[in-house]
Amino acid sequence: AWGGFGAYRFLLPRFELASDADRMIFACNLIGDLTPAQRDEIIRELEGINEKAKGRSEFKKEYSRHDIPNMNQWQANVERALNDIGAGQFDKVVLARKSVLQFSKAINSLSVFKQLQKVTPNSYHFYFQFADTVFLGASPERLYKRHGRDMVSEAIAGTIARGKTSTKD
């Protein structure tokens, strides 16, 4: 599922939009001198962002949903994790669940992002677009914060695939 993203990725976003107290900050990160063709490309990208942002913030599409693990398996995993913590085997457990949504019609990823911001106001929101693939979400942990030329990051819990046996889990 993550094949298009590679084993890891560190990037400097071309564009950043952030809120700071009562103001919005838009940054365009550039490296080195730009050719006229590169400047034209950046202008086209900016115009593309504006067109995508015009998409409706509501999307009422029919969809199907498939969760892995399903709700019963999820509840069993939570119970097992709580028991293991209670028994002193772990101090902390981070459980993950994959939800696959299949929509009847194409959706606007920026509309999804706007809705996500509305329902998770106390989270750090992120939106990365790589060609036709979008990675977006909301996290209680800050991915990074930029201070001029410095970047600060917080530790983020990682996830891996389930083991083939309960011992590997």
Side-chain angles (χ1 to χ4, degrees):
W2 294 95
F5 292 95
Y8 61 89
R9 186 177 294 242
F10 181 81
L11 61 98
L12 177 64
R14 169 78 50 92
F15 305 113
E16 295 177 67
L17 181 62
S19 60
D20 181 20
D22 60 343
R23 63 187 177 137
M24 295 296 291
I25 300 167
F26 179 81
C28 178
N29 298 303
L30 305 173
I31 299 174
D33 296 329
L34 296 177
T35 66
Q38 290 170 320
R39 279 192 295 271
D40 291 344
E41 176 188 344
I42 290 169
I43 290 170
R44 280 192 304 277
E45 288 179 13
L46 283 167
E47 289 169 347
I49 290 171
N50 188 38
E51 286 303 311
K52 287 180 181 178
K54 290 178 183 177
R56 294 182 54 189
S57 62
E58 288 186 35
F59 56 94
K60 295 183 180 176
K61 309 275 184 188
E62 300 217 3
Y63 67 91
S64 63
R65 178 177 175 157
H66 177 68
D67 293 318
I68 305 167
N70 65 34
M71 185 54 76
N72 290 336
Q73 294 166 326
W74 175 255
Q75 288 173 338
N77 290 345
V78 170
E79 286 298 318
R80 191 172 77 206
L82 291 173
N83 289 336
D84 289 347
I85 290 171
Q89 288 184 285
F90 303 108
D91 294 325
K92 177 182 177 181
V93 175
V94 178
L95 298 175
R97 179 168 68 166
K98 177 179 180 178
S99 295
V100 178
L101 304 176
Q102 182 70 43
F103 290 87
S104 61
K105 297 178 184 175
I107 59 171
N108 181 315
S109 58
L110 283 174
S111 293
V112 174
F113 187 65
K114 289 176 187 177
Q115 289 297 112
L116 182 62
Q117 289 176 307
K118 288 179 185 176
V119 298
T120 57
N122 297 318
S123 296
Y124 295 100
H125 300 93
F126 55 90
Y127 181 103
F128 296 101
Q129 184 167 350
F130 309 103
D132 293 332
T133 302
V134 173
F135 178 56
L136 63 89
S139 171
E141 299 167 313
R142 182 190 313 264
L143 298 177
Y144 76 93
K145 182 172 184 172
R146 189 174 69 151
H147 299 283
R149 297 178 63 110
D150 298 329
M151 265 188 9
V152 176
S153 180
E154 294 179 7
I156 298 174
T159 59
I160 61 172
R162 298 286 307 261
K164 292 185 179 184
T165 66
S166 60
T167 304
K168 292 290 182 184
D169 276 347

